[in-house]
Amino acid sequence: MPCPGAGEVVEPCVSGSGGGYPSDLTDDQWALVEPLLPPARVGPKGGRREKHPRRRIVDAIFYVVRTGCAWRQLPKDFPPWPTVYWYFTWWHDDGTVERIHDALRGKVRKGRKRFIVTDTLGLLLAVHVVAANVQDRDGARRPLLWTQLDHPSVQKIWADQGFAGRLVDWTAQILGRELDIVRKDPGQRGFQVQPKRWAVERTFSWLTAHRRLARDYETSPAHAETMIRWAMIGVMVRRLARGRAAVRSGPRLLAGSAQVS
């Protein structure tokens, strides 16, 4: 390797510029992480620019994670270990790491979430299908709004603990309706039927009994919602044509077998 001439500056080889450690992020990987990092900290008058590139900080953290080395044993071509550790603790304390994790999990995770509102008989009032990374409190707003517009007589809605918090306030302030959260008994062990909640859970069981709805086959959320409506049409048609409550038949005996009581 030729020696640098007088006055030349030698730059260390960093990620994305033709080398680095196996744990370093590629350009494509860094493009996913960089927008999720918080803005640089600055002083009251603007402050000085950060001394070390964010990418090298992140690469150094991944190096520790991958190799298991102590912070003090970080290779010298990374920023100083106290600096790397400072960013590690800052991004932990302000929730950055959790936000990055959740955002990427939403991109990796496939599938959909189904939000339904039913009456006390379990019949469908509203349905909304969204991507799996949508928070419950956000995905539930649209079907709640549709329920208010299409069924104004509905004044109170029960929901499970996943919808507690801001959605309760939003329902009261924007829709003028009461969203009552059904909470589990603190001493509950195992599965127990929850008051009021059992109706919607039964509807979900009706839906998943249809093979097309047992998995996420539809590429369009709107088509998935239509499939759910067709399934409920089938449920209601069978109920109306039957003219009576369904009766489950008991277990059938095999030929040649005897029943012991």
Side-chain angles (χ1 to χ4, degrees), residues 32 101-111 133:
L32 294 171
H101 172 272
D102 291 347
L104 296 179
R105 179 175 61 87
K107 294 182 179 181
V108 171
R109 182 179 176 184
K110 304 294 184 182
N133 62 315

Side-chain angles (χ1 to χ4, degrees), residues 136-137 159-169 179 181 183:
D136 287 352
R137 61 177 178 267
D160 67 20
Q161 297 177 104
F163 299 97
R166 287 182 292 177
L167 183 64
V168 176
D169 297 333
L179 185 64
I181 302 301
R183 301 184 182 278

Side-chain angles (χ1 to χ4, degrees), residues 2-6 18 48 50-51 67 91 118 134 144 185 244-245 251 258:
C3 295
R48 63 179 183 179
E50 293 183 340
K51 183 177 180 181
T67 66
W91 290 339
T118 73
V134 174
L144 287 174
D185 188 330
R244 56 181 174 79

Side-chain angles (χ1 to χ4, degrees), residues 166-178:
R166 287 182 292 177
L167 183 64
V168 176
D169 297 333
W170 181 86
T171 304
Q173 296 169 6
I174 304 301
L175 303 183
R177 300 293 186 268
E178 180 183 358

Side-chain angles (χ1 to χ4, degrees), residues 145-201:
L145 175 60
W146 291 338
T147 300
Q148 184 215 25
L149 296 176
D150 297 338
H151 308 279
S153 61
V154 175
Q155 296 295 316
K156 186 171 184 177
I157 303 168
W158 289 275
D160 67 20
Q161 297 177 104
F163 299 97
R166 287 182 292 177
L167 183 64
V168 176
D169 297 333
W170 181 86
T171 304
Q173 296 169 6
I174 304 301
L175 303 183
R177 300 293 186 268
E178 180 183 358
L179 185 64
D180 190 1
I181 302 301
V182 180
R183 301 184 182 278
K184 295 180 180 179
D185 188 330
Q188 177 179 329
R189 295 293 182 270
F191 173 78
Q192 291 183 14
V193 175
Q194 300 297 316
K196 308 296 183 182
R197 280 283 304 158
W198 66 270
V200 72
E201 297 298 347

Side-chain angles (χ1 to χ4, degrees), residues 90-155:
W90 171 29
W91 290 339
H92 166 269
D93 293 343
D94 74 352
T96 294
V97 177
E98 187 173 352
R99 287 193 296 271
I100 293 175
H101 172 272
D102 291 347
L104 296 179
R105 179 175 61 87
K107 294 182 179 181
V108 171
R109 182 179 176 184
K110 304 294 184 182
R112 303 261 171 76
K113 281 184 179 178
R114 299 166 179 168
F115 295 89
I116 64 174
V117 181
T118 73
D119 60 17
T120 54
L121 296 178
L123 301 180
L124 196 65
L125 298 180
V127 57
H128 187 38
V129 178
V130 298
N133 62 315
V134 174
Q135 294 288 334
D136 287 352
R137 61 177 178 267
D138 297 326
R141 290 188 178 189
R142 188 166 295 182
L144 287 174
L145 175 60
W146 291 338
T147 300
Q148 184 215 25
L149 296 176
D150 297 338
H151 308 279
S153 61
V154 175
Q155 296 295 316

